[in-house]
Amino acid sequence: MDQDIDADQLTEQSRGGRRSAPADVERLNVHVSASAMKALREVAEASGMTLTEAVRRAIGLLKLVDDATRDGVEIQFVDPKTNKTRVLQLI
């Protein structure tokens, strides 16, 4: 991501208590399955972040993985207890 906008940077408008985002931020409405929403909430709550921040981080992670795999990099997860390796593959 080129620029990370923190939720704290949002300012309250004087009318109606609505929030306005900086001019370079766009709003996105997304329909997700109940299971995806549950997973998003679990991640956000476990990490102490908002749903919006969890989505931002998910997008950043997807971009990182996508860029790396396009460059031919193999992304692996290694279990430190068993030393078992799993390779991440995006479909």
Side-chain angles (χ1 to χ4, degrees):
M1 290 186 294
D2 292 340
Q3 184 178 19
D4 187 25
I5 303 297
D6 192 310
D8 293 336
Q9 291 175 320
L10 296 175
T11 57
E12 293 288 331
Q13 289 182 349
S14 60
R15 290 179 289 176
R18 285 185 260 144
R19 291 183 165 202
S20 64
D24 63 341
V25 175
E26 295 185 38
R27 182 178 182 93
L28 173 67
N29 293 319
V30 180
H31 291 262
V32 297
S33 67
S35 61
M37 191 66 203
K38 181 181 181 216
L40 183 62
R41 281 193 175 110
E42 287 174 359
V43 168
E45 288 175 13
S47 301
M49 67 180 97
T50 65
L51 291 175
T52 300
E53 183 59 25
V55 169
R56 286 185 189 123
R57 290 184 183 196
I59 292 168
L61 181 58
L62 176 60
K63 177 75 170 126
L64 174 74
V65 170
D66 189 59
D67 288 348
T69 54
R70 285 178 192 270
D71 290 342
V73 175
E74 184 176 85
I75 300 172
Q76 300 180 351
F77 295 94
V78 179
D79 184 331
K81 294 178 184 172
T82 65
N83 211 29
K84 183 177 179 180
T85 301
R86 297 187 306 179
V87 176
L88 175 66
Q89 294 179 328
L90 293 182
I91 299 174

